[in-house]
Amino acid sequence: MRTPIMAGNWKMNCDNDEAQALADGVLARAGQVEDALVILCPPASALTTVHAAIANSNIKLGGQNMFWEEEGAFTGELSARMLLSCGCEFVIIGHSERRGRFGSVDEADAADLDTIFGDTDATVNRKVKAALAAGLLPIGCCGELLGERQAGNTDAVVEGQVKAMLDGIDADGVAQMVIAYEPVWAIGTGEVCDADEANRVCGMIRGVVAGLYGDELADGMRILYGGSVKPDNVEGLMAMADIDGGLVGGASLKADSFGALVEAAADAR
Ligand code: 13P
């Protein structure tokens, strides 16, 4: 049986005071839940604040991104060891908001915030490898753009992203990973992917992992759905066999709504 995960990706929200208040609220609302794993991913500036707030609870801490080098002249970047030293056990890697969808930052128009950060399948793979080598557990993200879905390419895009993300990683490493399926068109739009369709794609991802690493590893892997997960749609998603939880943006920024999501995840198993 896979323990469900409810992960809050706070993105670029919450200064330290707000992070303290939100972490305190989540702790009060969901700190005692045992049947689901709760992960909070605040901005890097608030990691130590949130870590202190959730000490002595079951809640885990995650970073939102990292660089694969161990140290050096990489202004603005964080290494896996730095995240570990802030108390992180997890790290989100390859979120669509960090992927340069055209493969090169040179092509990114500074006004186009969707393409400016420039992660590619290759950099995502490097980051996953570096995280695992350092002992951080990656939450590797994948998901298609609206145009890719409309063109009927969802499965090919997602399969390609998953295979590239896992390239060269052995079974011991992959067994420690979580994969999050986040259709880009459903993120922050209020437009949730239909639960059956989200389940179908998560099942397809599990099949890809099974093809590469065998059924046993794939059966044990937590695969999350992300994209406009809210208290009013979470039960339908959590009822699905291949959806093991959520990676949540907007609804993780209020302790009440996130607490409701955690409870739904815990009740689902
Ligand atoms: P929303 O829940 O705001 O759609 O964000 C999803 C997401 O990107 C989580 O990583």
Side-chain angles (χ1 to χ4, degrees), residues 3-269:
T3 303
I5 291 177
M6 199 50 71
N9 175 9
W10 295 2
K11 307 191 179 183
M12 197 175 75
N13 295 290
C14 296
D15 65 18
N16 266 309
D17 290 344
E18 292 161 341
Q20 176 80 53
L22 180 52
D24 287 345
V26 171
L27 195 65
R29 186 74 163 68
Q32 304 310 318
V33 171
E34 287 183 350
D35 295 336
L37 179 62
V38 180
I39 307 171
L40 298 182
C41 304
S45 53
L47 283 170
T48 51
T49 297
V50 174
H51 185 237
I54 61 178
N56 308 317
S57 80
N58 294 330
I59 299 175
K60 306 292 187 191
L61 192 67
Q64 296 180 8
N65 180 40
M66 55 167 275
F67 191 46
W68 61 81
E69 291 290 329
E70 290 180 13
E71 61 185 6
F74 304 108
T75 303
E77 292 296 321
L78 293 172
S79 68
R81 190 164 63 87
M82 291 168 185
L83 291 178
L84 285 163
S85 74
C86 292
C88 290
E89 294 177 50
F90 291 86
V91 59
I92 297 169
I93 295 177
H95 193 283
S96 63
E97 288 157 13
R98 298 218 54 97
R99 284 180 186 255
R101 302 301 303 214
F102 304 109
S104 160
V105 274
D106 294 340
E107 292 176 39
D109 176 351
D112 184 352
L113 296 178
D114 287 345
T115 63
I116 205 163
F117 294 113
D119 253 338
T120 64
D121 282 344
T123 65
V124 169
N125 176 250
R126 282 186 175 221
K127 290 179 179 189
V128 168
K129 284 177 176 159
L132 288 168
L136 265 180
L137 307 177
I139 303 172
C141 300
C142 58
E144 81 286 359
L145 297 167
L146 181 59
E148 292 166 339
R149 171 163 286 269
Q150 287 169 338
N153 291 335
T154 297
D155 291 15
V157 167
V158 172
E159 178 173 349
Q161 289 174 338
V162 171
K163 284 186 169 164
M165 177 158 52
L166 303 182
D167 186 44
I169 301 175
D170 65 16
D172 287 347
V174 175
Q176 299 183 64
M177 290 182 63
V178 175
I179 291 182
Y181 168 56
E182 298 203 313
V184 180
W185 49 271
I187 294 177
T189 59
E191 195 165 333
V192 66
C193 183
D194 177 74
D196 286 317
E197 172 61 8
N199 187 56
R200 188 193 68 76
V201 180
C202 289
M204 188 273 294
I205 293 169
R206 201 179 300 286
V208 170
V209 174
L212 294 170
Y213 298 95
D215 287 343
E216 193 178 331
L217 190 153
D219 284 346
M221 174 176 268
R222 262 86 60 93
I223 301 180
L224 313 182
Y225 167 78
S228 297
V229 177
K230 306 269 185 269
D232 64 4
N233 59 33
V234 68
E235 276 177 36
L237 291 163
M238 288 306 309
M240 294 291 154
D242 277 311
I243 299 178
D244 303 312
L247 180 55
V248 186
S252 73
L253 296 174
K254 294 264 184 296
D256 262 356
S257 54
F258 190 63
L261 300 182
V262 171
E263 281 161 14
D267 289 349
R269 294 293 184 277

